[in-house]
Amino acid sequence: MQAPVLVLNDSLTRESGTKVHHANIQASKAVADIIRTTLGPRSMLKMLLDATGGIVVTNDGNAILRELDIAHPAAKSMIELSRTQDEEVGDGTTSVIVLAGEMLHVAENFIEKKYHPTVICRAYNKALEDALAVLDKISMSIDVNNRSMMLGLVKSCIGTKFTSQFGDLIADLALDATTTVGVDLGQGVREVDIKKYIKVEKIPGGQLEDSKVLKGVMFNKDVVVPGKMKRKIINPRVILLDCPLEYKKGENQTNAELVREEDWAVLLKMEEEYIMNLCAQILKFKPDLVITEKGLSDLACHYLSKAGVSAIRRLRKTDNNRIAKACGAVIVNRPDELQESDVGTGAGLFEVKKIGDEFFAYIVDCQDPKACTVLLRGASKDLLNEVERNLQDAMSVARNILKHPKLVPGGGATELTVSATLKQNSSSIEGIEKWPYEAAAVAFEAIPRTLAQNCGVNVIRTMTALQGKHANGENAWTGIDGNTGVIADMKELKIWDAYNVKAQTFKTAIEAACMLLRIDDIVSGIKKRQAPGSTQPSKPTIEQEGDADTEQMIPE
């Protein structure tokens, strides 16, 4: 199958309203068609060539659209949709594009019949309200402490991904990681920050089955003096610093004029005493491990190693925050302000291990870690990158459920229920808005139809059978088994979706379709350059990087 090439009109001159609507709808459909085949468990993969010549193999809608280089502004705003979806809920990036593309496609008919875009948008917004009401009606609450149910849900949400062939592995990792970093804020509110407190460490080599969630953190550092400092400490007392353990340099160019030779020795002695004091302030708390984000001088290393303390320097700020969360330490800015409560005692083991050619420090077996590291092993870098993308989606799904423990059926069942309900409601709508409302109802069927297409079954037969089952609205849980294309009950197959992923998908897709329909003019604000002395416009030239500074961007 030939890779999709997106050729869109780049010369944005002023066009009339209907033409612009057509151009925008065509551009949006082109974007939707690129990733339509990546929806569902039997989806195709895309091979992307990035700007640096690297290759990415993925079926993650957001990852694919991120790499596309498109000039058309409507297509660009479609790509932003999947980014929004990824930021908000971390899943459903493909569905939102397919749905928005379909919403625009069904609107094209009304634009040709000279319907005003505002009328179409009004009907769409009403359809969105009703669709969200249907979601509320068919959703079911779940117990977040029921691990098998949570596992089933995370698995069904990432069943469309490449890693679904490894069974429960990724779902297990995602669930363990998110439950570790979850914090109860009281009043039934849970905060799960997967960006800050979960670090994914990818190390090529080993098997994917060797991947695990550490009860603590790991980072790519070794102790400062490997020969003299211990590389394994049980129940370490950890002190975290945000200041350098070396002599303070002058703020800017500092001059010191020394008259006598002895003064030089005094100056050096003062430096030594300063560092000695710093170390003494730290050592009185009897730490086993000192970690600083800044530098550590040789002299400080000497004093620390003499006292049997291991030290690590120049650690990233983000890693330091994670260590603080994992072992209960407080990051201190000045050694003279250290208190006993700042020392972290929650870790069970500090160990430095060598994996491949590099050393990794582990602070693990923590009592109540509020941060963790997911260690991923695998055959190649490309495989690990794809597993990481899938893991991010799985963790987002787990986070969504911990925050809003509600489920809706997957496999296109939700969309079919919404579609059937909207079709019934359309009979009670009066006036011109009835037809766009009905068209929006039909557009929701794009998701199950695409699932059926990607399974390779007879689309028309399957869709007709599904519409028949949903027409009377009896069983909202009938959908398509994405692996075989058979019509089945989603409850039995345990194919579910998180409620707020679906709600966000519908909101984003319909609001974006309305925004694009409201555009009736594209005006280019970029002035075309002319060759010196010529009056007629010259042929457009390809700009080099250096030309960007000299270009006159604002029209005269």
Side-chain angles (χ1 to χ4, degrees):
M1 185 176 136
Q2 197 182 356
V5 179
L6 204 59
V7 183
L8 297 170
N9 185 11
D10 190 16
S11 56
L12 303 177
T13 49
R14 239 169 163 282
E15 297 181 29
S16 68
T18 314
K19 270 190 186 170
V20 169
H21 282 126
H22 280 303
N24 286 350
I25 291 169
Q26 290 307 321
S28 307
K29 274 162 65 180
V31 173
D33 285 342
I34 285 179
I35 61 166
R36 191 181 292 277
T37 55
T38 66
L39 188 77
R42 282 280 168 262
S43 58
M44 297 284 129
L45 291 165
K46 303 278 181 197
M47 184 179 270
L48 311 170
L49 303 172
D50 61 18
T52 55
I55 290 174
V56 182
V57 178
T58 181
N59 67 352
D60 182 347
N62 186 38
I64 295 164
L65 294 176
R66 262 204 319 257
E67 299 293 337
L68 284 184
D69 186 21
I70 296 179
H72 199 288
K76 273 186 178 160
S77 68
M78 284 287 283
I79 289 170
E80 283 302 314
L81 292 191
S82 90
R83 199 164 298 164
T84 310
Q85 184 79 359
D86 200 49
E87 288 291 320
E88 280 295 314
V89 288
D91 193 28
T93 48
T94 308
S95 313
V96 75
I97 299 284
V98 171
L99 192 56
E102 192 68 18
M103 287 287 171
L104 287 164
H105 173 61
V106 295
E108 195 169 15
N109 204 6
F110 299 109
I111 296 285
E112 281 171 4
K113 289 178 180 167
K114 297 288 183 286
Y115 271 57
H116 197 280
T118 315
V119 174
I120 303 172
C121 292
R122 253 204 318 267
Y124 275 13
N125 284 326
K126 183 150 182 44
L128 174 60
E129 279 173 32
D130 293 350
L132 293 176
V134 173
L135 275 188
D136 282 327
K137 204 167 81 183
I138 64 170
S139 65
M140 57 181 253
S141 298
I142 65 159
D143 176 18
V144 290
N145 299 320
N146 181 346
R147 188 177 169 87
S148 63
M149 190 133 183
M150 291 285 284
L151 261 180
L153 180 58
V154 176
K155 251 180 78 178
S156 67
C157 286
I158 59 157
T160 62
K161 307 276 185 255
F162 168 73
T163 48
S164 59
Q165 64 201 44
F166 300 108
D168 299 356
L169 178 73
I170 295 293
D172 262 324
L173 293 178
L175 209 52
D176 287 342
T178 39
T179 43
T180 301
V181 301
V183 181
D184 274 320
L185 301 176
Q187 295 168 343
V189 180
R190 273 180 82 80
E191 179 58 50
V192 186
D193 196 331
I194 58 176
K195 273 208 175 88
K196 252 192 194 169
Y197 298 126
I198 299 179
K199 170 87 180 286
V200 179
E201 197 73 64
K202 298 172 291 192
I203 305 174
Q207 292 181 318
L208 198 62
E209 284 74 27
D210 302 337
S211 306
K212 56 179 181 276
V213 175
L214 302 173
K215 280 196 73 171
V217 288
M218 99 184 236
F219 44 94
N220 192 349
K221 287 275 177 199
D222 193 5
V223 290
V224 183
V225 191
K228 293 181 181 172
M229 291 178 172
K230 287 185 277 189
R231 273 187 170 157
K232 185 173 181 180
I233 305 167
I234 293 169
N235 295 332
R237 286 169 62 81
V238 184
I239 285 182
L240 302 179
L241 299 172
D242 183 17
C243 58
L245 292 183
E246 50 195 0
Y247 188 69
K248 269 204 184 118
K249 312 284 189 295
E251 284 299 319
N252 10 22
Q253 295 163 335
T254 317
N255 286 341
E257 288 190 18
L258 304 176
V259 184
R260 296 175 308 157
E261 196 179 327
E262 298 85 69
D263 293 351
W264 178 243
V266 172
L267 201 67
L268 289 176
K269 194 156 178 47
M270 282 166 68
E271 284 192 17
E272 285 184 16
E273 280 174 359
Y274 172 75
I275 288 175
M276 196 170 155
N277 282 339
L278 280 183
C279 292
Q281 283 159 356
I282 292 168
L283 291 172
K284 73 178 182 208
F285 289 96
K286 297 191 172 52
D288 298 309
L289 178 63
V290 174
I291 299 176
T292 175
E293 293 173 28
K294 307 284 194 306
L296 192 71
S297 67
D298 291 349
L299 195 61
C301 280
H302 165 72
Y303 287 128
L304 292 174
S305 64
K306 216 164 88 174
V309 176
S310 297
I312 290 173
R313 66 180 164 200
R314 297 201 180 90
L315 191 74
R316 282 200 194 105
K317 179 104 196 142
T318 49
D319 281 334
N320 214 11
N321 287 337
R322 274 189 281 270
I323 296 169
K325 278 276 189 185
C327 68
V330 176
I331 299 171
V332 180
N333 291 324
R334 297 174 54 157
D336 50 349
E337 290 177 357
L338 262 169
Q339 298 170 350
E340 179 60 39
S341 59
D342 298 335
V343 181
T345 53
L349 175 69
F350 163 73
E351 191 174 11
V352 177
K353 286 186 190 168
K354 191 175 185 186
I355 301 178
D357 297 337
E358 299 191 55
F359 286 96
F360 289 89
Y362 291 77
I363 297 176
V364 287
D365 297 342
C366 300
Q367 290 155 13
D368 184 23
K370 287 290 162 226
C372 64
T373 300
V374 183
L375 175 61
L376 290 182
R377 306 298 308 273
S380 70
K381 268 211 172 95
D382 289 335
L383 176 78
L384 281 175
N385 287 339
E386 178 65 2
V387 171
E388 186 194 16
R389 277 191 290 271
N390 296 170
L391 181 66
Q392 286 296 345
D393 282 0
M395 289 194 303
S396 301
V397 169
R399 178 195 66 189
N400 292 335
I401 300 155
L402 287 172
K403 282 182 153 184
H404 307 277
K406 281 165 87 178
L407 299 183
V408 290
T414 304
E415 286 82 359
L416 283 161
T417 308
V418 168
S419 176
T421 314
L422 293 186
K423 280 176 189 167
Q424 282 174 353
N425 292 357
S426 68
S427 57
S428 62
I429 290 176
E430 292 174 2
I432 197 171
E433 287 172 27
K434 176 181 176 143
W435 312 115
Y437 183 92
E438 216 168 77
V442 174
F444 275 107
E445 290 172 3
I447 303 281
R449 189 168 63 245
T450 307
L451 278 173
Q453 275 169 354
N454 291 346
C455 293
V457 294
N458 186 324
V459 180
I460 296 170
R461 271 192 192 158
T462 309
M463 286 305 293
T464 312
L466 274 169
Q467 283 161 350
K469 285 188 183 294
H470 278 271
N472 50 11
E474 277 172 24
N475 191 357
W477 293 80
T478 310
I480 297 177
D481 177 355
N483 287 309
T484 57
V486 175
I487 295 171
D489 189 333
M490 296 293 114
K491 248 185 199 159
E492 287 169 18
L493 291 179
K494 296 191 175 167
I495 298 176
W496 294 313
D497 268 328
Y499 168 81
N500 62 340
V501 172
K502 269 282 176 271
Q504 185 67 36
T505 305
F506 291 177
K507 285 178 197 165
T508 313
I510 292 183
E511 282 167 14
C514 290
M515 185 190 73
L516 286 172
L517 286 172
R518 282 212 174 99
I519 298 168
D520 69 342
D521 248 344
I522 299 178
V523 185
S524 170
I526 302 170
K527 189 165 185 276
K528 291 274 188 289
R529 304 164 84 198
Q530 290 186 356
S534 70
T535 47
Q536 82 266 23
S538 62
K539 274 175 85 177
T541 54
I542 296 170
E543 282 180 11
Q544 300 303 318
E545 210 170 36
D547 299 349
D549 297 339
T550 57
E551 173 151 4
Q552 191 176 355
M553 297 298 277
I554 302 165
E556 288 162 353

